[in-house]
């Protein structure tokens, strides 16, 4: 099903790795809706991922770029504009990484150089991308920028670690820059706070399966999938949402507005009412 | 510009009065996007408004109904299903009225029978509509319901009076019922928190012009118009936003995320720095 | 331990029933901190409760009053001022009741006359109390009013039913009236969003035990008790919090800022990993 | 007026510079309430400030420390424990600085090494302090940590620049670390979101006077002063707020819950209705 919602629009999509990635699904969907775009990721991610396959399927150009490098970002926007013969309409930022998480440093034993890196990669890259785009005047009036976030920015989840602080900074940057880019070029900037999703990135987190089970039973509509997230992104890139800006938008089947569902409570209660389970609880 | 986003979908639109109404714009836009729908309002509003004109232009049926009356709502949903030969995909609730506002009762001198009426018309009608729809099984799986709200639900604006409490209740009902209707029928329920809009309803409020000037200068993208609100509603009725539920979504050019803009501050400061103005300030 | 934080202050405490009640603990604590106060509840609650015992222990006057009745409220404030020989410094509103909950009407089968009653008792009574106090000029400058609320106002919990909407309205009234009473008399109005507490009211709710277990394991400091809530109320009645107003203040051991704790996840996971439990899950 | 609320308690207060500083007022107030504490600031701030005067008046030890240096922090906590002969009960973090603000780099032309510094000084120092304290087991059970924040973390104010993102990160750290320190040691961590205050730091910001006028007229109780903030801090350090954690607490005379007050609107409207002013508006 396609509506030509993005017909004639051009974009840049950061962060697709393989066909599990949300950014990958966004690319497929944007393509189906008539958009042309550049795919970008770090050189190392390009080596391990399968981005060329996606580029072929969607007729896209791949431009390697480290989103923390101003030089790379300038080159990326310049080349993209050259490629399209004009300015860009939408950008997706789907980038996040924490060495503290990867190296199993708990939140009360952070390595601070890792923390700086977490912030630089997961949050400041968003600012750098926006600042570069604005300096090069690379985005069309009423363009749309979306960053992917997670509810850990508002509510603490054990093991999510310093990524929570990075997502809080990311959402703040969306507001701060949304004000400036909005008033000067009518560009809107929002974040989507997506259900936990079993991407390659997510699958590394210990215990993620059970958390996903929990959020699924808590959410009246169940967890949102990567495909559904792509659908939602498309509406935010389209001309139908021009006055939505500086928002963090939950795309999570209702999870963010739930205190306790019957299904999740039932599952939780089972272990309280099971003798064998109770013994193992602290 | 049309995308056929609502092709094959059927709906009920509450609250169109004349071509200033947001509900009116939603109807026009939904029609352009391929939807068929029933228009409804109270018998008295139908007499004073120009709904037949809209009905004609969009090939719609008009069914008079008082949204606080369960009997009327049952009749409305039953007739609508009969008319469409099936269930309904979307509903817009754009209803609000306060006799305390109309009769100039300040918030510290409320008439409590008026307050009950404010609540019944502006908030409980949303519950009654949902409860009736669910009892009659009138909505299709993955249907979408939108209620129109205002930021007064979160932040106090002088003169908005008991409508603030009604909007808070409205948004709460969207969450409470969104849980139940979501888990059982995958129906999603959201509210849109719209910029102040110069509708017939709004134009009666004293000093609304200056408030609209303020919110416009505060919002990086300016106030959202009724037409733009209709565009946004269409995305929420479409199949591209299926996992968004129980949310209050700001459609306000960024106002809700602003503390102070340069333009609004400049205007405010002028009167502080003008001798003539200063004399008139308290 | 006592600090004389409320020395010389006078108050009215609504809603104490027995020594499980939060209002009861607030009375004991306020007494220990040097306050004098009037205790009030409905005539029927006075019959079933043990309020006279508390009145004796704290040297308080008991004045029966239905908080939904303007006549009763006028009498209550007039008599209280007469009793103290002056105006009042603080008020606690700890009132809530839903016939829909009591009569087991699920949220998609509400009785609307019950809903009106839920609102009137649990939310509008707060407005009526404030409006009456203001008309009689019954509160001292920089007085403090606290209403007890619950996180259901923001996040849906199954079975909490229409009390969620009432709490949302209660918190909105605190803001709306807080603006007016603040600007005119410097009276501050806040709500405390307390952990679920095993009061007589709470103990009637089915499954409340397991929910309390969940929130306790989710909250890094555990659930807040009624005694701790009383401590917190005392700080809000004191002169040390004069510029806090129109706020909803979470007093919940951290629950409101948690997405998932290790302890709660562990308990939840047990039932997923127990064969016997899994069979019983849907 | 004093209540001995902090009798027997010991603390560390970061960030007092001169008698305009909020931290200075907190020290005076904590002293009056019976606390003993260590005062700390960077060596350079100590040279320019008047901290010795405060130390003398409150019988405090001054320990110079750069809050971004783990070595300094370890030394600070170790010496403080030695000084008190035991663990510490409360900590105030009142630290913030942006070179981008100081050097007039607008938000769309940030220097990224400055941004890193803003984050390190204004947000990560909070984490470093907490991590160091926890590693040294320097805080007593049920200890209390407060960081000073500002509403720019939620809503964009022009010129507040990258400090907004730093405050968002600060508040996130309060939550993330509040979970861990809470569950393991019952230490609570909160931020206070204070009215704009005319401190030495604030007075450097262009146009701050007019903003302060605006927030004062918006807030029903007027802006909160530094002294009032100190009062509020004392309640959070006391034993009466033991179950409040992971919260951002607005201490702002109601500003955060206001959409528009009559007084602020009146001032704003004046310039719209003054011919001379209108000419100067954009």
């Amino acid at each position: 099903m396609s509506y030509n919602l993005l017909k004639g629009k051009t974009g840049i999509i950061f962060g697709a790795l393989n066909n599990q990635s949300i950014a990958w699904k966004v690319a497929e969907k944007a393509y189906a809706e008539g958009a042309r775009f550049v795919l970008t990721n770090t050189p190392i991610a390009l080596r391990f991922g399968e981005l060329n396959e996606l580029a072929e399927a969607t007729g896209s150009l791949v431009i390697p770029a480290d989103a923390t490098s101003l030089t790379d970002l300038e080159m990326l926007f310049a080349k993209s504009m050259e490629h399209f013969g004009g300015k860009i309409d939408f950008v997706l930022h789907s980038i996040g990484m924490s060495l503290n998480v990867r190296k199993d440093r708990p939140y009360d034993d952070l390595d601070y150089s890792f923390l700086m890196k977490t912030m630089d990669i997961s949050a400041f890259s968003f600012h750098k991308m926006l600042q570069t785009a604005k300096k090069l005047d690379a985005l069309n009036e009423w363009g749309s920028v979306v960053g992917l976030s997670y509810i850990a920015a508002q509510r603490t989840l054990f093991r999510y670690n310093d990524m929570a602080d990075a997502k809080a900074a990311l959402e703040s940057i969306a507001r701060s820059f949304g004000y400036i880019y909005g008033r000067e070029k009518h560009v809107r900037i929002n974040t989507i706070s997506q259900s936990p999703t079993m991407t390659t990135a997510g699958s590394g987190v210990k215990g993620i399966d059970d958390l996903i089970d929990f959020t699924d039973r808590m959410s009246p509509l169940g967890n949102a999938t990567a495909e559904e997230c792509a659908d939602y992104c498309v509406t935010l890139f389209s001309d139908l949402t021009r006055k939505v800006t500086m928002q963090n938008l939950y795309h999570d089947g209702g999870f963010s507005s739930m205190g306790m569902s019957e299904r999740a409570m039932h599952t939780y209660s089972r272990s309280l009412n099971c003798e064998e389970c109770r013994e193992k609880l602290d």
Side-chain angles (χ1 to χ4, degrees), chain A:
Chain A
M1 191 77 183
S2 157
Y3 308 97
N4 276 315
L5 261 174
L6 305 182
K7 198 180 168 184
K9 294 201 185 294
T10 60
I12 300 181
I13 294 175
F14 287 77
L17 182 70
N18 57 33
N19 65 12
Q20 307 279 295
S21 314
I22 292 175
W24 186 288
K25 306 292 187 188
V26 173
E28 291 182 330
K29 188 77 193 177
Y31 176 70
E33 291 295 334
R36 289 175 304 142
F37 42 82
V38 162
L39 297 166
T40 183
N41 210 327
T42 55
I44 196 164
L46 291 182
R47 214 165 333 122
F48 287 99
E50 306 140 28
L51 209 54
N52 284 326
E53 189 188 305
L54 178 64
E56 215 162 296
T58 59
S60 308
L61 185 66
V62 175
I63 303 180
D66 174 349
T68 65
S69 154
L70 292 173
T71 321
D72 282 20
L73 287 168
E74 274 163 39
M75 175 275 298
L76 170 66
F77 278 101
K79 276 200 186 165
S80 298
M81 283 196 284
E82 198 188 302
H83 175 64
F84 296 128
K87 300 187 193 177
I88 289 141
D89 295 299
F90 65 88
V91 180
L92 177 76
H93 178 281
S94 176
I95 301 174
M97 201 278 292
S98 160
L99 283 177
N100 282 307
V101 170
R102 285 206 188 169
K103 307 279 190 194
D104 263 329
R105 302 284 304 240
Y107 191 74
D108 53 354
D109 184 32
L110 290 190
D111 177 303
Y112 289 106
S113 66
F114 290 174
L115 174 58
M116 282 289 185
K117 247 185 148 46
T118 301
M119 278 285 162
D120 198 27
I121 294 173
S122 315
F124 299 161
S125 63
F126 198 47
H127 191 285
K128 287 175 179 172
M129 164 201 307
L130 290 162
Q131 181 159 307
T132 304
K134 186 153 181 292
K135 286 194 175 179
L136 299 180
D137 196 13
L139 300 190
N140 275 315
E141 288 263 325
W142 299 105
S144 174
V145 179
V146 169
L148 283 185
S149 193
Y150 184 47
I151 197 170
Q154 285 77 36
R155 302 186 204 160
T156 303
L157 294 107
F158 80 105
R159 290 218 190 103
Y160 200 72
N161 214 309
D162 59 346
M163 278 303 295
D165 306 329
K167 289 301 192 191
L170 178 82
E171 295 179 9
S172 178
I173 289 167
R175 287 188 294 272
S176 301
F177 219 113
Y179 163 54
I180 290 183
Y181 225 149
R183 77 179 182 197
E184 294 181 19
K185 297 283 176 179
H186 297 121
V187 168
R188 59 201 193 275
I189 306 177
N190 298 287
T191 50
I192 293 180
S193 189
Q194 161 72 5
S195 294
T197 315
M198 197 49 105
T199 60
T200 302
S203 66
V205 181
K206 228 185 310 177
I208 185 87
D209 288 27
D210 288 359
L211 181 69
I212 285 180
D213 181 286
F214 173 73
T215 58
D216 193 62
R217 285 187 214 255
M218 277 286 273
S219 310
L221 301 179
N223 288 328
T225 66
E227 284 84 0
E228 289 164 334
C229 186
D231 284 339
Y232 193 40
C233 283
V234 161
T235 68
L236 292 174
F237 294 152
S238 82
D239 289 333
L240 300 175
T241 54
R242 283 190 166 187
K243 287 294 176 73
V244 179
T245 195
M246 304 172 74
Q247 303 300 314
N248 180 47
L249 299 160
Y250 290 102
H251 182 257
D252 63 0
F255 178 77
S256 49
S257 294
M258 289 300 302
M260 184 44 78
S261 75
E262 192 156 20
R263 284 187 75 213
M265 194 71 234
H266 180 64
T267 305
Y268 185 88
S269 293
R270 287 256 32 97
S271 76
L272 298 183
N273 297 312
C274 161
E275 218 164 305
E276 204 187 311
C277 292
R278 282 195 75 88
E279 278 167 24
K280 294 178 190 156
L281 299 180
D282 51 349

